[in-house]
Amino acid sequence: MANLFFIPQYIISGENAMKMSTEYMKSFGEKALIVTDDVMVKLGNVKKLTDALDEISVSYVIYSGINSEPTHTMIDEGVEIYKKEGCDFLIGIGGGSPLDSMKAIGAVVTNGGSITEYMGKKIEHKLPPTCAIPTTAGTGSEATKVSIITNTNTGVKMLLNDPKLMANLAVVDPTFTVTVPPGVTAATGVDALTHAIEAYTSLKAFSMSDIYALSAVKRIFDNIYEVYTNGSNVEARREMAIAALEAGIAFSNASVTIVHGMSRPIGALFHVPHGLSNAMLLDVCLDYLKPGAVARLNQLAKTIGVYRPGMTPDEGADAFVVATKALLRTLNIKTPEEFGIDKEEFFNQIPKMAEDALISGSPLNTRRTPNKDDIMNLYKKLWDK
Ligand SMILES: NC(=O)c1ccc[n+]([C@@H]2O[C@H](COP(=O)([O-])OP(=O)(O)OC[C@H]3O[C@@H](n4cnc5c(N)ncnc54)[C@H](O)[C@@H]3O)[C@@H](O)[C@H]2O)c1
Ligand SMILES: [Fe+2]
């Protein structure tokens, strides 16, 4: 079977990546729309970018109206500014929220209509040139053909998935991530871990995606606790930034599976940050997955060094699941209850969440095919912890 492997046109990584990237940005156009959030402005990261653009005489306008978990109205606003200001390319700087928004704005600029009409549709016309500068080590959005935008009219976190959403240029400078607070560091790191595990155990996994997925899982197991407890360790931050990039490449090519499918509805309805809702689900979903993915989970145990000679594949798979659960415990991931979700309201929403999860298509890539009842049961299990 043949497989298409798809990555950004250019990836520039490492300290000072932004400096090296200006040459490419200059070739993208004359006026950039910078899509970002207020935190990036306050931290001075946007200033670093605009200083670099000033040096190469590229104009820009800043749209900093993106909040966590971007909505369709934020995209409308960005499109309006892009057009009104006569921009001709886009730069997203921030976590996954600004990067996804940047891609969505680009799609509407050249394809018209409203982003709410894009779910499940092919994007016809290519976007203006796009540059993605991540400041969290999590989503991998800088190297994925995915954008996730909430339609607040329907309460659905829309998964937009099209090769045209891949950024032309990804600029991965780990020094941006040093300021990420511990809770966000843990949640975004688990998002990347989930991408890598899901890509590796996806029914759509293949040789090229496996290389990136395995490398990402190893880097994350080796470094996530360190960045969580010692955020100023630049070496560990670098490893996590590369891991998030690798995990993004892996899942963009092999797809995510049940965790992400179930995570998006929790995010849309209860405003749980994406990484955290993945982290809440990862352990129960691994238990569910195990019977269908013993060989793959056994390989993951070997990759992170918890497989012991003489173990059967089943014992190896268990060892990986146990190690992942132990890792999650060290990161103090909140339960839905600790996050402040009302149990009754959550249970009332379970049928809708299970339906939305299945409609997204992601759960069907799981090596053990879930039906609606399986998914409803897994949502309930989140309250047994
Ligand atoms: N496109 C994809 O492939 C993909 C994959 C997974 C998730 N997502 C989406 O990405 C979004 C989540 O992205 P995220 O987890 O990066 O969170 P985010 O972009 O929402 O950022 C989380 C918080 O961290 C802050 N922050 C970001 N960088 C910082 C820094 N360097 N220092 C201090 N604070 C910083 C932000 O301002 C924000 O308050 C969700 O909407 C999710 O659905 C997209
Ligand atoms: Fe994710």
Side-chain angles (χ1 to χ4, degrees):
M1 184 181 153
N3 291 290
L4 171 69
F5 184 72
F6 203 71
I7 55 173
Q9 195 175 1
Y10 307 105
I11 299 173
I12 302 178
S13 63
E15 286 95 322
N16 286 322
M18 181 123 77
K19 186 134 196 65
M20 194 194 270
S21 69
T22 53
E23 180 190 333
Y24 297 87
M25 290 189 204
K26 197 170 169 59
S27 71
F28 283 180
E30 289 174 2
K31 187 168 184 180
L33 177 69
I34 298 175
V35 181
T36 190
D37 65 19
D38 283 337
V39 175
M40 290 302 110
V41 176
K42 282 194 196 109
L43 285 171
N45 292 340
V46 173
K47 171 88 167 57
K48 282 186 194 151
L49 171 62
T50 54
D51 285 351
L53 293 174
D54 287 340
E55 262 180 44
I56 53 166
S57 303
V58 167
S59 318
Y60 48 83
V61 51
I62 299 165
Y63 171 44
S64 63
I66 309 301
N67 295 322
S68 281
E69 320 297 317
T71 63
H72 74 275
T73 53
M74 294 176 198
I75 306 309
D76 293 346
E77 200 180 327
V79 170
E80 208 181 304
I81 299 172
Y82 184 97
K83 288 183 178 162
K84 195 176 79 196
E85 296 282 344
C87 299
D88 54 6
F89 75 106
L90 293 134
I91 304 173
I93 180 165
S97 300
L99 303 194
D100 281 6
S101 302
M102 180 269 294
K103 297 185 204 176
I105 292 167
V108 177
V109 161
T110 47
N111 290 272
S114 157
I115 198 70
T116 54
E117 298 152 13
Y118 281 56
M119 191 168 145
K121 296 241 175 78
K122 198 173 146 6
I123 295 176
E124 287 231 347
H125 306 289
K126 72 174 188 182
L127 278 58
T130 48
C131 167
I133 310 175
T135 62
T136 57
T139 69
S141 179
E142 67 277 10
T144 74
K145 54 186 172 66
V146 170
S147 168
I148 299 170
I149 307 295
T150 300
N151 179 343
T152 49
N153 297 330
T154 55
V156 172
K157 241 181 136 170
M158 303 182 296
L159 171 68
L160 314 177
N161 187 340
D162 189 289
K164 294 204 171 63
L165 293 171
M166 181 68 79
N168 298 97
L169 169 64
V171 180
V172 184
D173 183 339
T175 53
F176 281 126
T177 64
V178 168
T179 50
V180 181
V184 179
T185 297
T188 49
V190 176
D191 185 25
L193 177 63
T194 310
H195 293 158
I197 295 173
E198 296 209 275
Y200 190 67
T201 58
S202 165
L203 287 170
K204 293 182 181 161
F206 61 103
S207 53
M208 290 297 293
S209 62
D210 285 350
I211 293 168
Y212 287 86
L214 289 173
S215 176
V217 170
K218 168 127 184 64
R219 278 187 215 275
I220 296 168
F221 264 88
D222 287 348
N223 293 283
I224 192 169
Y225 183 71
E226 176 62 17
V227 289
Y228 174 59
T229 51
N230 180 17
S232 55
N233 181 337
V234 178
E235 179 59 38
R237 290 285 193 185
R238 185 186 304 132
E239 288 295 296
M240 286 300 293
I242 295 298
L245 171 71
E246 291 172 325
I249 291 172
F251 96 78
S252 181
N253 285 283
S255 293
V256 281
T257 63
I258 189 166
V259 179
H260 272 76
M262 292 181 62
S263 171
R264 287 185 290 265
I266 298 182
L269 295 175
F270 298 98
H271 310 291
V272 180
H274 173 75
L276 182 55
S277 51
N278 283 336
M280 289 170 178
L281 286 157
L282 184 57
D283 58 352
V284 296
C285 288
L286 278 178
D287 284 336
Y288 171 80
L289 166 70
K290 203 207 109 183
V294 167
R296 291 244 144 192
L297 293 172
N298 184 37
Q299 180 56 52
L300 287 171
K302 290 178 180 166
T303 299
I304 64 164
V306 294
Y307 173 87
R308 297 280 165 258
M311 277 183 173
T312 62
D314 200 67
E315 286 164 347
D318 278 338
F320 179 73
V321 174
V322 167
T324 306
K325 289 181 180 180
L327 183 71
L328 291 172
R329 274 195 300 277
T330 67
L331 301 174
N332 303 311
I333 301 301
K334 284 187 178 145
T335 62
E337 191 173 6
E338 286 161 353
F339 184 78
I341 298 176
D342 180 74
K343 185 173 179 182
E344 200 182 326
E345 204 185 329
F346 189 91
F347 272 66
N348 287 341
Q349 294 287 0
I350 284 179
K352 172 179 164 55
M353 291 198 291
E355 259 163 47
D356 288 349
L358 281 169
I359 288 169
S360 77
S362 305
L364 297 180
N365 302 321
T366 312
R367 259 165 221 260
R368 184 181 171 200
T369 313
N371 60 28
K372 192 175 166 189
D373 282 342
D374 295 327
I375 292 183
M376 296 213 303
N377 284 333
L378 288 169
Y379 277 130
K380 287 176 193 158
K381 281 202 172 144
L382 297 187
W383 295 83
D384 295 341
K385 292 188 218 170

